[in-house]
Amino acid sequence: MKGPRRGYWCECWTQDLTEQRGPALLASFDAYAAPQADRWVAVTLRTISSALDADASDAAWEWLYDGRVETRRALLRSEPCTVSVTHEDIRITWTIRPVIFLPFLHRQGAELPSCAHDYKPRKPD
């Protein structure tokens, strides 16, 4: 990657609605095209739909058949999107946000700072 690149940052959060704690990050994914981003959610929803309760499964399939098109359109307009289903007391939420990915600097051919040589690997116990 030579310079900044547009893409989408995708996350999957879960929250137990019976507890006072906030949501917990379950997974994240970097996508470089809108179809790749919404496909990540679609594949996950199809995979778990048979394990969801009836209402959550219906919500999942409703998004897969109807909501996915709107999600894709919003992503192409560079708008963030959220997809949620609630299974029993657990809310699962996927977020997709447009981002600009910055390239990493390769260390090959670059001089490392002197402190990098102070690191000594720990011997296994």
Side-chain angles (χ1 to χ4, degrees):
M1 182 173 6
K2 300 266 185 213
R5 185 172 176 189
R6 292 190 179 279
Y8 303 90
W9 183 246
C10 310
E11 296 176 334
C12 179
W13 293 83
T14 59
Q15 182 175 14
D16 186 332
L17 301 175
T18 63
E19 296 183 9
Q20 298 290 23
R21 286 185 278 163
L25 181 63
L26 184 63
S28 59
F29 177 72
D30 53 322
Y32 292 94
Q36 186 182 21
D38 77 69
R39 189 177 316 120
W40 183 66
V41 178
V43 168
T44 306
L45 277 174
R46 281 189 190 107
T47 302
I48 69 170
S49 66
S50 64
L52 298 173
D53 61 41
D55 290 340
S57 182
D58 288 347
W61 285 103
E62 182 179 326
W63 180 82
L64 285 163
Y65 286 120
D66 298 324
R68 187 174 178 191
V69 173
E70 284 306 312
T71 296
R72 174 88 54 96
R73 287 180 184 147
L75 293 174
L76 292 171
R77 292 187 306 264
S78 295
E79 297 172 0
C81 298
T82 301
V83 178
S84 292
V85 296
T86 301
H87 168 72
E88 296 175 358
D89 294 328
I90 305 292
R91 179 181 303 127
I92 307 166
T93 303
W94 291 266
T95 61
I96 306 170
R97 294 181 312 233
V99 296
I100 296 176
F101 292 107
L102 300 176
F104 284 108
L105 178 64
H106 293 285
R107 295 191 325 176
Q108 296 172 341
E111 185 65 34
L112 294 175
S114 61
C115 64
H117 302 289
D118 294 339
Y119 172 75
K120 303 290 185 240
R122 195 175 116 190
K123 293 181 180 169
D125 295 328

